Amino acid sequence: MLIDGAGIPGTESICRHGVAWYANRLGGNLLSLLSLVRDRSLSALLAEAIEQVTDDHRNTCDVADPISPSATVAILRLSDGLIEYLVLGDSVLVLDRADDAPLVVSDPREVIISRSYQPALEAAAKGSDEYHRVLRDLRANRNQPGGFWLAKDDPRAAAEAISGNCPISELTGAVLLSNGASRIVDRFQLADWPEVMAVLASSGPAEIIHRVRQAEARDAVPADDATIAHCTDLGEP
């Protein structure tokens, strides 16, 4: 399981707990549900976890505000000879298949929608009223039909996740990446996914993150949280 908290300037004025608290609480609740409840779908468990963490701070924070804490989610579960997977938001999950190209599971909706706002953001002076107006318009697409979906305050967002399953026998490994780590492919184009899986097998996640940090420094791109969970033993527990 990988949880990537989504921070927006001003969140601290809406929620006294903050993004890290939200991500940690969501992850803890979800991990508990995944461990104890084996007969419900991943989306149903995610919905319950979102509802639990929302209830935890509903009375102290403005959970419905567009900039209240949120997170992206990627889950991998081994069950009865299958790998079940779920991705909500811009994290990425890659299944390394023995006899085929890697299966890349991603949710591109936020990236696609953000691109349409990029020209207006670049044209406005950063920090200006116009800049913040465009950002508000962009964020208004969050957890809305036709927009993009994250774990936030509405458990119905879980039903919008990308999910599926695959026989364990077809796989040799899997990896879950935050969008800060998947930059090696989708932003910097330093490797394709088969190459990423090969580097992970030979050198581990640290080498992928090292290459991302080098590219960020080279291109003067602000560093983003980069997390990788590499699963190499997919035998039944």
Side-chain angles (χ1 to χ4, degrees):
M1 180 180 68
L2 186 149
I3 307 290
D4 187 11
I8 295 173
T11 297
E12 63 279 356
S13 68
I14 301 301
C15 175
R16 70 183 191 183
H17 301 96
V19 174
W21 174 90
Y22 181 89
N24 285 331
R25 185 62 64 95
L26 178 67
N29 290 349
L30 183 54
L31 186 60
S32 177
L33 290 168
L34 286 165
S35 300
L36 297 175
V37 185
R38 306 290 297 181
D39 59 348
R40 293 174 63 196
S41 69
L42 296 181
S43 60
L45 296 179
L46 176 57
E48 184 170 343
I50 292 172
E51 186 167 23
Q52 287 175 349
V53 72
T54 301
D55 287 343
D56 287 342
H57 70 143
R58 189 188 303 277
N59 294 330
T60 58
C61 308
D62 187 357
V63 298
D65 190 281
I67 65 170
S68 69
S70 59
T72 71
V73 181
I75 307 171
L76 194 69
R77 178 168 70 177
L78 282 66
S79 178
D80 297 327
L82 292 175
I83 287 283
E84 299 174 278
Y85 57 81
L86 176 148
V87 172
L88 181 67
D90 59 7
S91 293
V92 178
L93 189 151
V94 184
L95 301 178
D96 202 12
R97 296 183 286 192
D99 300 320
D100 205 345
L103 174 63
V104 181
V105 183
S106 63
D107 181 355
R109 287 171 289 190
E110 181 175 2
V111 173
I112 292 170
I113 290 172
S114 296
R115 284 176 186 157
S116 66
Y117 289 86
Q118 199 60 37
L121 286 172
E122 292 174 355
K126 193 167 185 178
S128 66
D129 289 345
E130 175 62 13
Y131 185 86
H132 288 297
R133 184 195 66 77
V134 176
L135 278 181
R136 285 194 299 271
D137 289 347
L138 168 59
R139 292 164 185 160
N141 291 282
R142 180 180 298 181
N143 288 5
Q144 296 293 327
F148 58 91
W149 300 84
L150 298 171
K152 188 175 172 288
D153 63 300
D154 188 349
R156 291 174 296 182
E160 300 293 332
I162 309 300
S163 61
N165 60 69
C166 181
I168 294 174
S169 60
E170 296 180 3
L171 306 176
T172 59
V175 62
L176 292 73
L177 308 96
S178 68
N179 67 323
S182 67
R183 284 178 163 186
I184 191 169
V185 173
D186 53 41
R187 178 161 187 167
F188 297 123
Q189 299 179 347
L190 299 175
D192 58 17
W193 287 114
E195 291 169 330
V196 167
M197 300 308 293
V199 172
L200 286 170
S202 63
S203 304
E207 177 60 22
I208 297 295
I209 295 174
H210 174 66
R211 296 184 188 187
V212 169
R213 296 300 184 224
Q214 284 186 318
E216 290 168 341
R218 180 197 66 210
D219 296 348
V221 173
D224 193 6
D225 294 340
T227 300
I228 298 174
H230 185 209
C231 310
T232 57
D233 184 1
L234 298 180
E236 287 283 3

